[in-house]
Amino acid sequence: MQPFLTFSAEKIKDFREGDEIAFREIYLHFGPKIYRMAHSYLKGRQQSEEIVQDTLLTLWENRQKFDESRALEPYLFTIARRLVLDQLRKVINSKALRENLLATIAELHN
């Protein structure tokens, strides 16, 4: 089991300034937690891995906007939940579209 990593204000400051080592520590610490959360909803390995990648990519792209006084974990999980919900919406819309298409094809075939 990986030891608990604390993210001091200094470490967050380094991350905000583009320190890749600080980002890697964040990735290694939170990546598995985000994966488990995503997998509990999506049930797919590949989709869950994509959520982890997209969540941490969003964090990296917005690192300079991140408020150092905020807790990092809730921020990350808010991003991840939004991405999971977006993914679930796509699945639902895709399923509905497929059902409508099959109904239309069956109707036209008759």
Side-chain angles (χ1 to χ4, degrees), residues 25-60:
E25 288 179 16
I26 291 169
Y27 187 96
L28 292 173
H29 181 73
F30 290 108
K33 293 178 180 184
I34 295 167
Y35 176 87
R36 284 190 299 274
M37 185 276 294
H39 193 268
S40 71
Y41 291 102
L42 300 173
K43 308 297 185 209
R45 182 186 59 78
Q46 183 176 358
Q47 288 176 318
S48 300
E49 289 174 356
E50 287 176 12
I51 295 297
V52 172
Q53 296 292 323
D54 291 346
T55 299
L56 291 160
L57 178 61
T58 299
L59 176 66
W60 179 256

Side-chain angles (χ1 to χ4, degrees), residues 64-110:
Q64 294 175 335
K65 297 176 189 174
F66 181 73
D67 181 2
E68 294 172 27
S69 65
R70 294 179 63 187
L72 185 57
E73 187 167 4
Y75 181 76
L76 285 171
F77 277 87
T78 298
I79 294 169
R81 274 191 295 275
R82 181 182 48 83
L83 292 169
V84 166
L85 288 173
D86 289 348
Q87 188 65 33
L88 290 172
R89 283 187 197 103
K90 287 179 189 175
V91 169
I92 289 169
N93 289 337
S94 173
K95 194 180 258 186
L97 181 63
R98 186 174 33 241
E99 289 172 1
N100 284 339
L101 182 60
L102 290 174
T104 303
I105 290 171
E107 185 179 307
L108 292 176
H109 183 61
N110 289 334

Side-chain angles (χ1 to χ4, degrees), residues 6-19 22 26 30 59 63 66-73:
T6 57
F7 294 99
S8 64
E10 185 65 33
K11 184 70 69 178
I12 297 297
K13 182 177 180 253
D14 291 346
F15 160 70
R16 284 189 65 210
E17 293 173 356
D19 184 340
I26 291 169
F30 290 108
L59 176 66
R63 68 187 176 276
F66 181 73
D67 181 2
E68 294 172 27
S69 65
R70 294 179 63 187
L72 185 57
E73 187 167 4

